[in-house]
Amino acid sequence: MLKIIKSGLQTTVQDLGRFGFQKYGVIASGAMDPFAHRIANLLVGNGENAATLEMTMTGPTIQFQQDAFISLCGGDLSPQIDGTDLKMWRPAFVKEGSVLKFGAPRSGCRAYLAVAGGIDVPDLMNSKSTYLRAGIGGFHGRALQAGDIVPVNLISPQLAASLLHATGNGVEWKTAAPRYSSEPVVRMMKGRQFELFSRDSQSHIFSEAFAVSSHSDRMGYRLEGTRLSLEEPKELISEAVSFGSIQVPSDGNPIILLADRQTTGGYPKIGQVAAVDLPLVSQLKPGERIRFKEISVAEAQQLYLDQETQIRQLKVGINLKREAGK
Amino acid sequence: MPYTFSPLGEGAIVIEAGTEINEDTQKRVQAIAALLEAQPPAWMVEFIPAFTTVAVFYNPLAALYESVKSDLETLLPHAEETASSLSRTVEIPVCYGGEFGPDLDFVAEHNGLTPEQVIDIHTSGIYSVSMIGFAPGFPFISGMSEKIAAPRRESPRLRIPERTVGIAGKQTGVYPIETPGGWQLIGRTPIRLFRPEQEIPSLLRAGDKIVFRRISEKEYDAWKEEEHAENY
């Protein structure tokens, strides 16, 4: 069990999302940085979809009420265990009573804490993700608060033994991680309404940098910079949006829709961020800047397949590391 | 073939069944949804039907865009034959006015009617659900009489209680969960539109017909009590 001493800015239980219910208007939710979430799980012998804690900007303070194997992936929020720096992107053993604390963000803004066994909250519509607005899923449908006791599933003695071996040999898996940056260039496919935008806007989206506004959250990041506009005003019919859709409301400031996006939207979509680059977006802090680079759907699909291959290889590598020496 | 296709990122394809909102287009959308429900392709993750489109999400590890598109081209001509002609009618009981419908008087005044007339007109329509979206179980409802149309509030309320029935322009609808909003509130229903614990979490589905029925405060309370009893 994990005892929450301080809540941090926003700490929620997430998995890879709630799928199959968007046709009923139920948002997908899930980890903002699915890559970090998946690797964090793999490092401690969990399935990729096991529930983790997503911690934002100011991390929580957590006391472990049992011995645990953990890993932290994603943005570097200066984690410490009992006052000693904790290395990210590798498994670690923590003793009962240890306290995990965070400091200032060094890179990115969201870290994922995986605990061997996974966070034990009930499934709701096939997912453990928190849907804050509806107050459902995750830990009682809300962000964690001081005093909460968060249950963790037990693991087998065999897994514990192999994890203990793996934590001893110091291998990090950061090499495969996205290169988080405070001014990333993100690959983007043209959106379904790209051709409706003015010539200028069509070129500005690829030539200008946009700043992340402070009105940004898990639902979407609002960007500020050169305003984008349609060639002529047009009333659009609401249709589905997805993780990474870039829509442009009438004020001309683009919004990148993220994990807690609504299921449908009526604003024109100028683009769609390639899935492999979504972690670069999700780790941006307000005030940081982003640029877009054009990519085709076929190229984005190839990048996606390449990344999946890489994750499969990582999985094999991690398992070998754990098994060796047993 | 009335369909066109376009990608929505690397993991979804949008089928456009028409370019404007009308009954034919919506029938085609619902037929596609029924088909995908009955015969889900192996690569499909889920789908989102809207007014004129159906977005089909897929796993690129299982199929890439061109093959998804060609599978759909083969499948879609069967959509209309699969479509169920069974249209459900769902009755939504509403307790109008009072604290549940603080804007009923405004809607009446705005249209030169009495509150009673507004209720009569609201309960005499047969509405249909065009799409579920915006919030879980939130129905986009068409078919409200223009006689009771009313503008949105100048400044939106920060919290509208769940199950509140409202009017905005020529639309009427029910907020399934508590949310901010600018609609004019005319009443509240004791029944829940969003039921996260159930296998199908939305009471309403696109294509459903809706009728609103007026109930008294007493009936409202009785209904709520019954729901309470069922839950515990």
Side-chain angles (χ1 to χ4, degrees):
Chain A
M1 310 231 261
L2 311 179
K3 182 172 182 188
I4 308 301
I5 312 282
K6 280 189 196 163
S7 64
L9 182 65
Q10 180 172 285
T11 304
T12 58
V13 176
Q14 298 295 340
D15 58 17
L16 288 171
R18 183 166 282 117
F19 296 102
F21 299 91
Q22 291 197 81
K23 59 179 173 240
Y24 303 123
V26 177
I27 67 171
S29 305
M32 285 279 276
D33 182 342
F35 183 88
H37 166 96
R38 292 167 74 183
I39 302 303
N41 272 323
L42 292 178
L43 286 171
V44 294
N46 291 344
E48 292 171 36
N49 195 35
T52 64
L53 296 187
E54 180 181 275
M55 305 170 285
T56 315
M57 294 287 283
T58 310
T61 301
I62 299 174
Q63 185 185 50
F64 291 86
Q65 302 205 311
Q66 67 201 56
D67 289 354
F69 292 95
I70 64 167
S71 69
L72 268 178
C73 296
D76 183 348
L77 309 182
S78 309
Q80 289 193 328
I81 286 278
D82 294 333
T84 306
D85 286 352
L86 177 72
K87 280 203 172 135
M88 300 192 55
W89 302 94
R90 54 173 288 190
F93 174 72
V94 291
K95 278 214 207 52
E96 180 183 341
S98 301
V99 173
L100 173 64
K101 266 189 191 168
F102 294 86
R106 290 194 191 106
S107 76
C109 68
R110 284 169 223 279
Y112 292 83
L113 172 67
V115 184
I119 304 294
D120 183 18
V121 293
D123 267 319
L124 183 80
M125 291 180 248
N126 307 332
S127 166
K128 298 185 192 301
S129 285
T130 315
Y131 178 0
L132 289 174
R133 171 153 281 181
I136 57 170
F139 188 83
H140 302 300
R142 58 169 172 80
L144 298 180
Q145 297 166 0
D148 285 345
I149 305 284
V150 182
V152 174
N153 289 307
L154 292 173
I155 56 169
S156 68
Q158 290 86 342
L159 179 59
S162 79
L163 283 168
L164 196 56
H165 173 74
T167 55
N169 57 31
V171 177
E172 291 179 31
W173 300 93
K174 200 174 187 169
T175 40
R179 287 184 299 279
Y180 302 134
S181 149
S182 55
E183 191 170 343
V185 177
V186 164
R187 287 163 288 194
M188 176 198 117
M189 289 156 269
K190 288 178 178 172
R192 253 170 62 75
Q193 288 85 25
F194 184 86
E195 304 301 333
L196 297 181
F197 284 85
S198 71
R199 279 282 167 85
D200 281 352
S201 295
Q202 290 183 14
S203 91
H204 286 149
I205 188 74
F206 294 120
S207 62
E208 304 293 317
F210 294 85
V212 175
S213 130
S214 54
H215 299 286
S216 295
D217 56 19
R218 281 181 45 89
M219 187 172 180
Y221 271 22
R222 288 166 186 271
L223 305 181
E224 286 164 354
T226 306
R227 298 199 176 205
L228 306 174
S229 58
L230 296 179
E231 186 63 48
E232 49 195 272
K234 192 168 190 275
E235 197 66 19
L236 284 168
I237 302 169
S238 280
E239 60 181 37
V241 294
S242 74
F243 199 171
S245 293
I246 308 172
Q247 59 177 25
V248 183
S250 44
D251 70 5
N253 292 320
I255 301 173
I256 309 181
L257 297 174
L258 299 170
D260 281 354
R261 67 198 175 275
Q262 53 190 64
T263 56
T264 55
Y267 295 124
K269 293 181 285 296
I270 196 166
Q272 174 77 32
V273 175
V276 295
D277 285 347
L278 282 170
L280 300 178
V281 177
S282 297
Q283 294 286 357
L284 286 171
K285 296 188 275 287
E288 295 183 331
R289 283 146 56 95
I290 186 169
R291 288 175 179 276
F292 298 102
K293 183 182 168 215
E294 189 182 350
I295 189 177
S296 69
V297 171
E299 287 169 310
Q301 292 195 317
Q302 191 53 52
L303 288 171
Y304 181 87
L305 299 186
D306 293 347
Q307 191 187 54
E308 291 304 312
T309 306
Q310 201 187 18
I311 291 175
R312 267 204 302 276
Q313 286 165 353
L314 261 171
K315 205 167 170 175
V316 171
I318 290 168
N319 285 338
L320 285 175
K321 195 61 70 183
R322 262 207 315 269
E323 295 307 317
K326 260 180 73 180
Chain B
M1 266 289 277
Y3 309 110
T4 61
F5 299 90
S6 54
L8 172 64
E10 67 278 271
I13 183 168
V14 178
I15 309 163
E16 198 167 62
T19 52
E20 51 188 79
I21 303 177
N22 57 43
E23 212 172 313
D24 276 356
T25 304
Q26 290 193 6
K27 268 194 186 142
R28 277 202 293 274
V29 165
Q30 281 147 27
I32 296 169
L35 177 77
L36 294 173
E37 199 79 62
Q39 302 172 48
W43 39 255
M44 187 173 86
V45 177
E46 64 177 321
F47 62 92
I48 304 180
F51 291 111
T52 57
T53 55
V54 181
V56 187
F57 292 76
Y58 58 93
N59 180 354
L61 290 174
L64 296 178
Y65 181 75
E66 288 303 328
S67 81
V68 164
K69 184 177 155 197
S70 101
D71 283 1
L72 286 173
E73 278 166 343
T74 316
L75 205 56
L76 290 187
H78 303 288
E80 259 121 292
E81 44 195 82
T82 321
S84 143
S85 58
L86 293 170
S87 165
R88 306 187 310 161
T89 298
V90 181
E91 189 181 82
I92 298 184
V94 182
C95 182
Y96 288 92
E99 57 163 322
F100 294 160
D103 303 322
L104 178 64
D105 291 344
F106 171 84
V107 174
E109 261 170 59
H110 181 79
N111 291 292
L113 301 167
T114 64
E116 287 297 316
Q117 287 172 314
V118 172
I119 298 170
D120 284 346
I121 294 169
H122 197 254
T123 51
S124 65
I126 297 177
Y127 304 84
S128 66
V129 178
S130 304
M131 165 177 120
I132 304 289
F134 169 66
F138 184 92
F140 284 81
I141 296 173
S142 59
M144 193 185 77
S145 165
E146 282 196 44
K147 286 182 205 157
I148 54 171
R152 283 178 164 77
R153 284 170 61 88
E154 268 176 39
S155 102
R157 285 186 172 90
L158 292 178
R159 289 165 63 167
I160 293 178
E162 59 169 69
R163 297 176 288 101
T164 303
V165 179
I167 285 176
K170 285 178 283 178
Q171 302 178 81
T172 184
V174 186
Y175 288 101
I177 61 172
E178 183 187 286
T179 147
W183 289 31
Q184 305 289 351
L185 311 180
I186 59 167
R188 197 175 302 164
T189 174
I191 59 172
R192 291 185 307 150
L193 273 67
F194 177 49
R195 305 160 170 206
E197 72 290 352
Q198 292 187 10
E199 199 176 332
I200 295 178
S202 174
L203 171 69
L204 300 171
R205 274 165 265 170
D208 285 348
K209 300 275 178 242
I210 293 182
V211 291
F212 292 104
R213 182 169 68 82
R214 182 184 193 174
I215 57 170
S216 67
E217 227 166 296
K218 223 172 168 182
E219 283 173 283
Y220 179 94
D221 290 340
W223 211 300
K224 286 292 287 179
E225 250 166 58
E226 198 176 311
E227 186 199 326
H228 193 77
E230 269 172 30
N231 284 345
Y232 295 95

